[in-house]
Amino acid sequence: MEILTAENVSKEFSNHKALDAFSISIPQQSIFGLLGPNGAGKTTFIRIINQILNPDTGKIFLNGERLRPKHIASIGYLPEERGLYKKMKVGEQALYLAQLKGITKKDATEKLKDWFRKFDILPWWNRKVEELSKGMQQKIQFVVTVLHNPKLLIFDEPFSGFDPINVNILKDEILKLREEGATIIFSTHNMSSVEELCDNIVLIDNAKKILEGRVDDLKMEFKSDVYELILKGSGTRLKGILPDAYEMISVQAINGLKEVRVKLPAGSSPNELLQTLIPEFEIHSFHEILPSMNDIFIEQVNKNKTKYKAG
Amino acid sequence: MGKTSLIIQREYLSRVKKKSFIIMSILGPLLMAAMMIVPIYVATLESDEEKNIEILDETGWFYNKFKDKDKLKFTYTFTDLETAKQEFFEKEIHALLYIPKTELSLPTTATLYSDKQVNIQVKDYLENIMETVVENKKLEASGIDPQVLKSAEVNFRLSTMTIEEDGEEKKSFTEVSMVLGIFAGIMIYFFIFLFGAQVMRGVIEEKTSRIVEIIVSSVRPFQLMMGKIVGIALVGLTQFLIWIVFTLIIVTGFTTAFSDKLPAETAEKFSAGNQLMQVEQLQQNAPSQDEITKVFEAIFSVNYNVMIFSFIIYFLGGYLLYAALFAAIGSAVDNETDTQQFMLPITIPMIFAIIMAQFVINNPESSMSFWLSIIPLTSPIIMMVRIPFGVPYWELGLSIGLLILGFLATTWLAGKIYRTGILMYGTKVNYKTLWKWIRLRD
């Protein structure tokens, strides 16, 4: 079941295409990574979902219904460029933003107090925002985003401005939100957190979708048959034994053992490699190296760039 | 609708609770009251004093022509100028009038020496007498008896009346109309600039603090803009209401406390307030009880229903028209210093209107006045100046109609700039970019 579907969404700003026939579908109760270099069109897409912008063409469906103003209440959005009224009191401000999302004042007060207690910011309720540290302000923004229990949450670079401890608290909260049934669109340049959190991703470059899929599937798809071996013996001897078709990528010494990365020739199986080595070496470990999301990101964007230039 | 009223509420409360608002609310009436009370108070202090003026007349034409009047006493001296000046501080005199000898021509110049500023009324009085004397001499020289001429002089008093459609006749008084009209126009001018700038600053604040994207994910940008404009309008109205009420309280308080100590005439001036004072100054002659009643009559002769009704309409209409433009400017820039380049289209019509107000007072029926009071950019000020002189209802209707259309147009235009502008950070914006934003599709 998809919570959000986009069909051929395009948006143009004075002769510059921000989104070009962009289509995706986001499965319910998943964490969906929206990736891409700066200026690729991610923010435009996010703003279209939030109905801040209207697409020129194309359709967006939320839970099978055409996106309409009433859906604002079921979306929570934490923008990349975010701030608060500096002169306003913390509690007052959080209440105001919550009420704008359509929660009653009474409900909002109760829920806010719970969240503030959880994040250790309750004592700041009556202080002005300008007296707070940046991290605390970020916590308040996070709370305000999730307060109305939205079915769809959109986080644009949610971890910027947080220290590592708070990043972990936040990650836990995000995972908890998914367990409780929310779907999360997660836009970031931090690829390690993508690997950690995301179930699916879409990669946008130059207003177009260039890659899409489950994180695990993509890693399998883009693996380049590199295996890592830990063995006893010398590297030069290994080189002598291995047929030329095998490419040795790196050799590192670890505690008297060697950690070697080998790329298999096309069409050969890892078993063949093991059969060659077992008679000669004592093997401690053998496993496949999958590409990181970071590698995939860079490779795909660069590939797209050359294609774009050539085309 | 609920969300817009939430925004209005926040905009209103966050400003009314500010220290600067409270200080302005207290200082404003104090200043206004002081402006009314102090001149009258000073005037009463002055009038207690008797003024001696010494005349040194080398021509001999003016001997005994200066008659003592109210608090003015005249003495004549026959020394030369140097001695008279030296003796100035020994004798208790306020001023020395020196009329130098002329050989062939008639005396037309004189000098008034004094150690303090001589007030305008004294100066006028002296000039008047000297003019009459020289005129009479001229008449005599051409063989006309001044007495004959005087008897031939007709004092024709033209009292102007305006006829209302219901057949009622009213005396019209130009001076009162002038003051009321100009006062209303200036009030509107200040209101637009003061609170329009607040709208702009509010938009810039939301942009620089980066809260705007959070808010527009819950409400439409247009709602946010209108909420802000309306909220600040209410702040302005509250401020003015406080000012009017407090000023009245202070002035009436002062009047009742001091009325027994002041001459009846001045006390009466108090109760009529500031406008009356200015009216009196316009009427060159010394005020008499009779004239004061006339001024009262004049003040009450203005059609207040029309005046108040149109004041509210133009006050709000003018503000709304310009506030939308102020909001658009705020959305297009990243900080207040960048606003300068876009302020011109707002300030020019406004300042032009204030400058033209002078012309309109003198020619309320001219075609220039008509057009300026019809065009929405200047009509809030110019129409208010014209109304006390009487404006046909169809003109008023047309002007208000166009003002409403103008307000809708600027708001629509501003809304387009606003919704794009608020999300643009760090882009250099010029008129060309604004035009692009206006043409962007939804």
Side-chain angles (χ1 to χ4, degrees):
Chain A
M1 176 70 194
E2 270 77 42
I3 185 160
L4 186 101
T5 323
E7 283 175 10
N8 285 315
V9 172
S10 295
K11 178 80 187 171
E12 200 177 313
F13 295 112
S14 43
N15 308 325
H16 149 75
K17 273 221 154 116
L19 272 184
D20 191 1
F22 182 70
S23 305
I24 49 166
S25 48
I26 296 173
Q28 213 157 32
Q29 221 176 334
S30 66
I31 300 183
F32 192 90
L34 190 61
L35 315 179
N38 290 322
K42 290 173 300 194
T43 306
T44 303
F45 182 61
I46 290 175
R47 284 178 179 167
I48 288 173
I49 302 175
N50 279 295
Q51 302 174 69
I52 296 170
L53 297 174
N54 291 324
D56 295 341
T57 54
K59 290 174 195 160
I60 308 257
F61 297 92
L62 190 78
N63 270 332
E65 285 177 63
R66 268 304 272 278
L67 195 65
R68 265 179 296 155
K70 70 153 195 178
H71 291 127
I72 280 174
S74 37
I75 300 175
Y77 174 35
L78 186 70
E80 183 179 6
E81 295 277 9
R82 52 184 179 258
L84 296 162
Y85 289 112
K86 292 193 176 59
K87 302 271 176 207
M88 220 173 157
K89 282 180 184 159
V90 173
E92 216 176 298
Q93 178 150 216
L95 270 177
Y96 171 63
L97 294 172
Q99 280 175 282
L100 283 184
K101 277 285 181 195
I103 322 178
T104 62
K105 196 169 182 177
K106 196 170 147 265
D107 264 11
T109 318
E110 248 170 64
K111 284 186 182 171
L112 276 172
K113 297 244 160 152
D114 285 347
W115 275 100
F116 273 41
R117 224 169 272 133
K118 197 191 250 176
F119 277 169
D120 274 337
I121 42 178
L122 194 57
W124 299 84
W125 184 271
N126 270 321
R127 303 290 278 275
K128 278 189 183 167
V129 169
E130 58 189 352
E131 298 170 47
L132 268 61
S133 73
K134 188 155 184 242
M136 268 191 261
Q137 294 187 26
Q138 299 273 47
K139 282 183 184 172
I140 292 161
Q141 284 154 351
F142 180 83
V143 169
V144 170
T145 310
V146 302
L147 195 75
H148 56 294
N149 293 329
K151 287 191 215 107
L152 180 65
L153 278 157
I154 302 165
F155 294 122
D156 199 348
E157 291 293 354
F159 303 127
S160 67
F162 277 110
D163 61 50
I165 294 170
N166 282 318
V167 167
N168 272 336
I169 295 177
L170 215 60
K171 278 180 184 165
D172 289 347
E173 287 302 331
I174 292 176
L175 291 171
K176 215 182 278 172
L177 285 165
R178 180 184 57 176
E179 264 160 48
E180 287 163 9
T183 308
I184 292 136
I185 298 179
F186 181 43
S187 171
T188 184
H189 290 134
N190 183 340
M191 290 303 146
S192 64
S193 58
V194 171
E195 286 187 34
E196 210 175 321
L197 295 172
C198 291
D199 306 310
N200 302 278
I201 62 120
V202 65
L203 182 57
I204 313 179
D205 189 30
N206 267 316
K208 282 186 177 142
K209 177 171 77 182
I210 58 173
L211 194 68
E212 181 185 22
R214 291 183 55 80
V215 171
D216 300 336
D217 295 349
L218 287 171
K219 286 189 159 197
M220 290 307 280
E221 189 184 334
F222 290 99
K223 68 179 184 181
S224 47
D225 290 334
V226 175
Y227 287 82
E228 188 181 271
L229 290 144
I230 296 182
L231 43 76
K232 211 178 233 170
S234 87
T236 33
R237 211 177 126 230
L238 180 68
K239 206 161 191 176
I241 289 166
L242 271 182
D244 284 346
Y246 288 87
E247 187 188 336
M248 267 176 67
I249 292 171
S250 66
V251 182
Q252 262 182 315
I254 299 168
N255 301 330
L257 299 173
K258 290 278 176 319
E259 188 198 89
V260 186
R261 287 194 176 188
V262 178
K263 190 175 189 316
L264 304 191
S268 82
S269 81
N271 283 14
E272 288 171 34
L273 175 64
L274 278 179
Q275 275 162 6
T276 326
L277 296 182
I278 282 170
E280 309 288 332
F281 297 99
E282 182 185 324
I283 294 178
H284 289 234
S285 142
F286 179 74
H287 64 99
E288 188 174 16
I289 295 292
L290 290 175
S292 69
M293 281 315 292
N294 204 37
D295 297 335
I296 297 176
F297 182 96
I298 292 170
E299 196 192 312
Q300 291 300 310
V301 170
N302 281 337
K303 209 169 94 190
N304 191 50
K305 206 177 276 167
T306 42
K307 199 175 90 188
Y308 199 70
K309 269 183 195 152
Chain B
M1 206 55 232
K3 287 180 182 177
T4 314
S5 61
L6 262 175
I7 294 167
I8 293 173
Q9 216 177 63
R10 195 205 79 87
E11 297 293 336
Y12 180 78
L13 289 178
S14 70
R15 283 183 175 77
V16 170
K17 281 193 272 182
K18 265 189 196 163
K19 272 192 205 106
S20 58
F21 180 86
I22 297 163
I23 291 170
M24 280 290 280
S25 298
I26 297 167
L27 276 186
L30 282 179
L31 274 173
M32 273 203 267
M35 262 164 55
M36 291 183 194
I37 292 165
V38 170
I40 298 175
Y41 188 66
V42 170
T44 55
L45 284 184
E46 266 182 14
S47 61
D48 286 345
E49 220 177 325
E50 215 168 66
K51 287 194 174 103
N52 294 313
I53 295 175
E54 197 172 60
I55 313 282
L56 172 54
D57 176 18
E58 287 181 356
T59 62
W61 288 27
F62 301 96
Y63 184 64
N64 272 351
K65 297 283 188 206
F66 293 99
K67 301 275 185 296
D68 291 356
K69 184 205 151 210
D70 293 343
K71 308 282 185 191
L72 286 179
K73 294 271 178 297
F74 295 98
T75 53
Y76 296 86
T77 183
F78 300 98
T79 52
D80 59 316
L81 182 62
E82 286 310 304
T83 0
K85 274 203 234 169
Q86 273 163 25
E87 287 170 357
F88 185 89
F89 290 100
E90 291 160 31
K91 298 180 189 173
E92 275 194 15
I93 55 173
H94 285 89
L96 170 71
L97 180 67
Y98 170 61
I99 306 162
K101 197 173 177 59
T102 45
E103 290 300 330
L104 295 166
S105 59
L106 295 162
T108 50
T109 56
T111 315
L112 190 64
Y113 296 94
S114 82
D115 54 348
K116 278 181 274 178
Q117 275 294 337
V118 177
N119 77 34
I120 282 266
Q121 274 122 346
V122 174
K123 220 181 122 197
D124 281 346
Y125 183 64
L126 294 176
E127 270 174 6
N128 239 327
I129 288 173
M130 289 190 286
E131 274 167 19
T132 325
V133 168
V134 176
E135 267 169 27
N136 286 348
K137 286 277 175 195
K138 270 178 147 177
L139 288 173
E140 272 169 31
S142 18
I144 301 164
D145 185 353
Q147 289 304 316
V148 174
L149 193 74
K150 191 155 196 180
S151 68
E153 202 174 88
V154 181
N155 191 358
F156 203 97
R157 192 178 183 108
L158 183 69
S159 67
T160 46
M161 315 275 270
T162 53
I163 305 171
E164 299 291 305
E165 255 171 81
D166 53 10
E168 206 185 320
E169 289 178 10
K170 276 183 182 160
K171 280 200 176 120
S172 72
F173 287 78
T174 328
E175 293 87 356
V176 174
S177 308
M178 282 161 96
V179 170
L180 279 183
I182 259 293
F183 182 73
I186 288 175
M187 287 276 280
I188 290 176
Y189 176 84
F190 276 117
F191 184 77
I192 291 175
F193 263 120
L194 221 62
F195 293 95
Q198 280 212 31
V199 171
M200 187 176 78
R201 247 177 272 129
V203 174
I204 295 175
E205 187 209 341
E206 275 168 0
K207 217 184 145 179
T208 50
S209 70
R210 301 285 194 261
I211 193 171
V212 70
E213 194 159 354
I214 294 180
I215 294 177
V216 294
S217 68
S218 314
V219 302
R220 303 222 326 272
F222 191 74
Q223 287 177 302
L224 178 60
M225 185 178 93
M226 283 320 286
K228 186 172 285 294
I229 289 173
V230 173
I232 291 175
L234 294 178
V235 174
L237 289 176
T238 311
Q239 181 110 70
F240 273 109
L241 204 67
I242 293 175
W243 281 355
I244 289 165
V245 170
F246 275 161
T247 309
L248 284 180
I249 289 173
I250 295 173
V251 172
T252 22
F254 186 86
T255 318
T256 42
F258 288 91
S259 57
D260 48 329
K261 290 181 195 161
L262 294 168
E265 202 179 282
T266 352
E268 218 166 305
K269 278 200 273 187
F270 266 132
S271 45
N274 201 22
Q275 296 159 2
L276 183 51
M277 262 175 56
Q278 291 174 23
V279 171
E280 295 224 26
Q281 278 164 10
L282 287 167
Q283 297 177 330
Q284 296 279 324
N285 320 341
S288 66
Q289 206 61 37
D290 181 40
E291 302 231 341
I292 284 174
T293 39
K294 271 190 205 153
V295 169
F296 267 119
E297 215 178 300
I299 289 179
F300 293 123
S301 80
V302 174
N303 189 338
Y304 278 98
N305 288 336
V306 174
M307 187 80 190
I308 291 171
F309 167 77
S310 37
F311 182 73
I312 293 170
I313 294 275
Y314 283 103
F315 192 72
L316 289 176
Y319 164 79
L320 290 174
L321 180 111
Y322 278 100
L325 294 178
F326 273 110
I329 294 176
S331 73
V333 298
D334 284 331
N335 56 61
E336 230 180 306
T337 46
D338 289 343
T339 58
Q340 293 303 330
Q341 54 164 331
F342 300 117
M343 286 297 283
L344 223 57
I346 292 186
T347 44
I348 284 189
M350 291 284 283
I351 290 171
F352 181 68
I354 276 288
I355 293 170
M356 288 309 285
Q358 189 68 35
F359 168 84
V360 173
I361 284 179
N362 295 324
N363 314 278
E365 301 300 327
S366 69
S367 63
M368 179 69 142
S369 304
F370 169 77
W371 286 112
L372 287 178
S373 62
I374 295 296
I375 295 166
L377 287 174
T378 50
S379 67
I381 293 170
I382 299 297
M383 191 52 107
M384 281 323 291
V385 174
R386 277 187 68 200
I387 282 173
F389 295 96
V391 173
Y393 283 119
W394 72 267
E395 282 185 28
L396 201 61
L398 177 65
S399 169
I400 290 175
L402 283 177
L403 183 67
I404 293 169
L405 281 182
F407 147 65
L408 292 176
T410 55
T411 312
W412 175 79
L413 205 71
K416 293 206 138 207
I417 295 176
Y418 181 85
R419 58 150 206 236
T420 309
I422 44 170
L423 296 173
M424 295 281 174
Y425 307 116
T427 29
K428 268 273 165 257
V429 175
N430 52 32
Y431 283 106
K432 219 174 122 192
T433 13
L434 289 190
W435 180 238
K436 264 188 205 158
W437 292 356
I438 290 171
R439 296 193 328 171
L440 272 184
R441 269 183 293 167
D442 280 332

